[in-house]
Amino acid sequence: MEGSTPRTRTRIQQEKREVILEAALEVFSTNGFRGSTIDQIAEAAGMSKPNLLYYFRRKEDIHETLMHRLLDTWLAPLKELDDIGDPMTELRSYIRRKLEMARDFPRESRLFANEILQGAPRIMSMLEGELKTLVDEKVEVIKGWMRAGKVAKADPWHLIFAIWATTQHYADFDVQVRAVLGPDRGGEGRFEDAARFLEQLFVEGLRPKT
Amino acid sequence: MEGSTPRTRTRIQQEKREVILEAALEVFSTNGFRGSTIDQIAEAAGMSKPNLLYYFRRKEDIHETLMHRLLDTWLAPLKELDDIGDPMTELRSYIRRKLEMARDFPRESRLFANEILQGAPRIMSMLEGELKTLVDEKVEVIKGWMRAGKVAKADPWHLIFAIWATTQHYADFDVQVRAVLGPDRGGEGRFEDAARFLEQLFVEGLRPKT
DNA sequence: CTAACGTTTGTCCAATCGGTCAAAAAATTG
DNA sequence: CAATTTTTTGACCGATTGGACAAACGTTAG
């Protein structure tokens, strides 16, 4: 018997919590936090509502756990942007990785987008703290590249925003992208087309002048 | 006395409907459709819930009216992208106009983003119809520019997506942008910085080769 | 077997939701 | 003024919501 905060978790608890989080990711990312019901998540997880509430006491706890997990993987690509290697190659790799995440983890992207859209009430402190610190750090790296003449001089902050925006667009606005491209061009090949275009845009757009 | 569909509207009806739509834009854009309540909108509009429901019978009617109005103004900049004038100047104007809309109408942008994020259940037919037709048309214009050597060859669809993504980012992800930029760089000047960066990125990125 | 513990569920509850309705209050019309 | 129509509101309703709870079920250890 544990106190109010169970530290040890049985095998079943760990497994069921994973099932719930997977179901919640699906539901939250398509309906938003307030638009999702515990019943929906419970049904998607294949269990009854009281049973779900046995593993997560409150709806917010599920969302919070999901968010914290997400942020680690979400910031990983930017963390990998390193000063070693050729600058333009580094930037291209970053763009490619972000686009792959939009392709492979669209639900995570939409969950994040939902949170930001609503004013980021639950992760504001992380944005101003961890994220800002990380961006500031990488901005210095990019500035170094620009001073060294390896990358065209431009605002590094807005460069990062542009990479975020263009890549996440393919996850967050997926329905619109597919609707506009139509059935022919809207297949899985759209990510390769996007990768080619974005590579061209950023490589040419950031090519240092002579 | 009117039938079930009142055609003529009194002065009060027109005014109150405007007040309600303004309030609903504020509420819907920050909480999403399901996350918003009629009470919230009524309070923001300064009237009681039954009174609001006297002007709009259902919550969905408000949202639908808001959406239809939005779409016209939202697509206007793309419609203006014309074959007359210098291609790169046309593209730069389009980017600037879209960025101005993100600055001046962020709530409209977020309302639209919310709808798309949730799978665009209410405007899917418009995406596949009106929007796709318009984009297809402008894609042809851009293709012409590319064939004429005025713009670097690139995928016109993804070029449009990139412009949408980078500009709307400053409305939809505003909290994140401001949090990352911090109090110093996050003031109103951020839109001018963004405009300069995006102009550089797209102009250099699309400069035709020799 | 029993006792103890972890798991699951049916039932219930208070709060909130979108929406109705009758009747009062304003405004308009004659 | 009175008659009529439009506008506003308090009270109310059924459905849904997040969550509580005790009882039942399952599993394991002695």
Side-chain angles (χ1 to χ4, degrees):
Chain A
M1 175 49 187
E2 299 287 336
S4 54
T5 32
R7 279 272 149 262
T8 57
R9 291 208 175 108
T10 68
R11 178 183 50 84
I12 290 185
Q13 274 176 351
Q14 295 201 15
E15 287 175 3
K16 289 294 172 89
R17 282 174 67 96
E18 287 307 315
V19 173
I20 292 171
L21 288 172
E22 157 67 25
L25 174 60
E26 184 72 27
V27 176
F28 279 143
S29 66
T30 41
N31 302 110
F33 180 76
R34 286 211 53 186
S36 305
T37 70
I38 300 184
D39 287 284
Q40 285 176 321
I41 301 172
E43 191 190 340
M47 62 181 71
S48 64
K49 180 169 66 169
N51 196 10
L52 182 147
L53 285 168
Y54 169 73
Y55 293 102
F56 291 91
R57 300 166 99 99
R58 292 177 305 148
K59 182 184 172 186
E60 276 210 272
D61 291 349
I62 310 176
H63 192 264
E64 190 186 326
T65 305
L66 222 43
M67 272 293 168
H68 270 92
R69 285 209 187 177
L70 164 60
L71 291 175
D72 288 334
T73 47
W74 212 241
L75 296 183
L78 184 54
K79 281 181 181 156
E80 286 180 38
L81 188 75
D82 246 334
D83 213 349
I84 55 175
D86 176 58
M88 283 312 299
T89 308
E90 282 289 315
L91 279 177
R92 279 165 50 200
S93 299
Y94 179 51
I95 294 167
R96 186 168 33 78
R97 273 195 294 265
K98 284 292 285 180
L99 194 59
E100 282 168 1
M101 291 195 63
R103 183 193 59 194
D104 300 333
F105 305 105
R107 298 177 305 176
E108 282 83 350
S109 184
R110 280 193 282 266
L111 181 67
F112 191 76
N114 255 308
E115 182 69 11
I116 302 288
L117 255 185
Q118 327 243 316
R122 286 168 257 270
I123 57 169
M124 179 58 89
S125 60
M126 190 281 307
L127 296 183
E128 293 169 331
E130 193 181 343
L131 179 61
K132 177 172 174 13
T133 305
L134 179 61
V135 170
D136 284 349
E137 180 190 326
K138 298 306 178 182
V139 158
E140 288 307 315
V141 173
I142 296 174
K143 276 184 176 173
W145 292 342
M146 290 176 179
R147 274 193 297 268
K150 299 287 190 181
V151 175
K153 286 195 196 305
D155 190 312
W157 279 278
H158 292 280
L159 168 57
I160 291 175
F161 292 150
I163 294 174
W164 287 351
T166 49
T167 53
Q168 290 176 11
H169 187 80
Y170 291 96
D172 303 341
F173 288 72
D174 181 54
V175 267
Q176 180 179 253
V177 166
R178 276 188 286 120
V180 166
L181 288 180
D184 299 337
R185 305 180 49 89
E188 278 306 313
R190 69 185 186 277
F191 283 100
E192 289 161 34
D193 294 341
R196 260 190 299 272
F197 172 81
L198 291 180
E199 168 156 347
Q200 175 181 348
L201 177 67
F202 283 100
V203 167
E204 297 301 324
L206 297 173
R207 186 183 297 281
K209 301 243 185 172
T210 53
Chain B
M1 176 50 188
E2 299 288 335
S4 54
T5 32
R7 277 276 147 261
T8 58
R9 292 210 174 106
T10 69
R11 176 184 50 84
I12 291 186
Q13 275 175 351
Q14 295 201 16
E15 288 174 2
K16 291 293 173 95
R17 282 175 66 96
E18 288 307 315
V19 173
I20 292 171
L21 288 173
E22 159 66 24
L25 174 59
E26 184 72 28
V27 175
F28 279 144
S29 66
T30 41
N31 303 110
F33 180 76
R34 286 213 53 187
S36 305
T37 70
I38 299 183
D39 288 283
Q40 285 177 321
I41 300 172
E43 191 190 340
M47 62 180 71
S48 64
K49 180 169 67 171
N51 195 10
L52 183 147
L53 286 167
Y54 169 73
Y55 294 102
F56 290 91
R57 301 165 97 98
R58 293 177 304 150
K59 182 184 172 186
E60 275 209 277
D61 290 348
I62 311 176
H63 191 264
E64 190 186 326
T65 305
L66 223 42
M67 272 292 168
H68 270 93
R69 286 206 186 180
L70 165 61
L71 291 174
D72 289 333
T73 48
W74 213 240
L75 296 183
L78 185 54
K79 280 180 182 155
E80 286 180 37
L81 188 76
D82 245 335
D83 214 347
I84 56 176
D86 175 58
M88 283 313 299
T89 307
E90 281 289 316
L91 280 177
R92 278 165 51 200
S93 301
Y94 179 51
I95 293 167
R96 186 168 32 78
R97 274 195 293 266
K98 283 293 284 181
L99 195 58
E100 282 167 2
M101 292 195 63
R103 183 193 60 193
D104 300 334
F105 306 104
R107 299 177 305 178
E108 282 82 349
S109 184
R110 280 193 282 266
L111 181 67
F112 191 76
N114 254 308
E115 182 69 11
I116 303 289
L117 256 184
Q118 326 244 315
R122 286 169 259 268
I123 58 168
M124 179 58 89
S125 61
M126 191 280 307
L127 296 184
E128 292 169 333
E130 194 182 343
L131 179 62
K132 178 172 174 13
T133 305
L134 179 60
V135 170
D136 284 349
E137 179 190 325
K138 299 305 178 182
V139 158
E140 288 307 315
V141 173
I142 297 174
K143 276 184 177 172
W145 292 342
M146 291 175 179
R147 272 193 299 266
K150 299 286 190 180
V151 175
K153 287 195 196 308
D155 190 311
W157 280 277
H158 293 281
L159 168 57
I160 291 175
F161 293 151
I163 294 174
W164 288 351
T166 50
T167 53
Q168 290 176 11
H169 186 79
Y170 291 95
D172 304 341
F173 287 73
D174 181 53
V175 268
Q176 180 179 254
V177 167
R178 277 188 286 120
V180 167
L181 288 181
D184 300 336
R185 304 179 50 89
E188 278 305 312
R190 67 186 187 277
F191 282 101
E192 290 161 32
D193 294 341
R196 261 190 298 274
F197 173 81
L198 290 180
E199 167 156 346
Q200 176 180 347
L201 176 68
F202 283 101
V203 167
E204 297 301 323
L206 296 174
R207 187 183 295 283
K209 301 250 188 169
T210 54

